[in-house]
Amino acid sequence: MLKISDSVKSLEKQAAEALTSLLEDVPAIKVRDVSIEPDGPDRGIDILATINVSGQRYSIVCEVKSSGQPRHVRMALLQLRNYVAHHEPGSLPVFIAPYLSAEARALCREEKVGFLDLEGNARLVFDGVFIERQVAKKPAAERRELKSLFKPKSARILRVLLRKPDRPWRVTDLADTAQVSLGHVSNVRSALINNEWAQLSEGGLVLSKPDDLLDAWREAHESPADRREGFYTTLHGRPFDEAARQALGSNSGSGQLAFASFSAAQWLAPYGRTGTHYFYAEADAIDRLKRDLKLASAQMGENVVVMVPKDSGLFLDVVEPAPGAICTSPVQTYLDLAQTGERGREAADHLRREKLSWK
């Protein structure tokens, strides 16, 4: 029987209903009681359930939180296990939140705590009973939150951090280097810490899990290009490389240019040439590129692609592996390659092994 008073918070009501539905879907489980703890001093749990399985009585204690971010999950799991040890020995601890990412669910498994989220992910294991459900979708709010972390201004900060993940950064230094506001750095810092991709040290913010951050960025990545233009050139091989490096070497003030995608990877970690050359260019640098590379309209089939980025901060992180060969950073090149089909993913994986292997 589910007991809910009118004064109970909406989230706890939803959690209790989701738990009841999950348990009632298993024929071997008989739900005797599911009650929400009344308002008052925090006892350490929010829901107490009693069930019967093959005549055996079991207690389930649940902690409900509005955030399923790994940092908050870890704290709640410790609180939940402490409550069980001191007040309900032998009971099954379960953590419930609106949504739990794969990382958050892994934390629950490590701590041997059951979990349930309102999107449908669940895992309960006890004395011969095993319930596990996994859904592929992420809630819209979760997708929006991740996408906001990887928007152009935020990406400036992430690219700085990923240059040297073990370097600690003060907020002011990070804002100056990334050329963004202090408030923007603070927001990104909070998101990184909450996802346990970074932590605070005595010297400042340090990336603790750069690979996990890069994985999440790759999955949420959207092209930084505001527009794309295709051209054709008769130049090939060495003449093309020399002309391109001459154009790129003229970068100064406005009008920035950089090799991108497969073209950048060819200088950073060669994997295999393609017949098309790729560049990022500020709008006022395109004429220079057209002149130096003898670019014409792509009526004969494009072999040069020029992308104008939404944010010029992308050029703050360029590298120069050879004189005049200005390239997008290994991080940006990896992200762009990973979005370009199977061949691009192969080149991205090779680049990551060569240039983005962190201890």
Side-chain angles (χ1 to χ4, degrees), residues 58 67 81 98 110 113 135 145 177 196 201 211 253 279 281 310 351 358:
Y58 296 90
S67 174
R81 289 188 61 82
E110 289 172 11
V113 172
V135 296
E145 183 178 349
T177 303
E196 296 194 333
S201 68
D211 281 302
F279 297 87
K310 301 171 186 174
L351 173 65
W358 298 295

Side-chain angles (χ1 to χ4, degrees), residues 229-251:
E229 297 187 28
F231 300 96
Y232 177 80
T233 181
T234 57
L235 296 176
H236 297 283
R238 178 173 288 183
F240 177 89
D241 288 343
E242 290 176 351
R245 291 164 75 177
Q246 176 181 335
L248 295 169
S250 301
N251 279 353

Side-chain angles (χ1 to χ4, degrees), residues 74-108:
R74 191 182 297 277
M75 295 168 59
L77 295 181
L78 292 174
Q79 177 182 331
L80 189 55
R81 289 188 61 82
N82 182 66
Y83 177 87
V84 169
H86 291 88
H87 301 285
E88 292 282 348
S91 61
L92 173 67
V94 175
F95 179 73
I96 305 176
Y99 175 72
L100 295 170
S101 66
E103 293 81 3
R105 300 195 295 269
L107 286 175
C108 292

Side-chain angles (χ1 to χ4, degrees), residues 32 58 73 93 105 128 167 195 295 311 352:
R32 294 180 57 188
Y58 296 90
V73 172
R105 300 195 295 269
R167 172 184 168 170
N195 282 285
L295 301 182
D311 177 53
R352 187 163 180 172

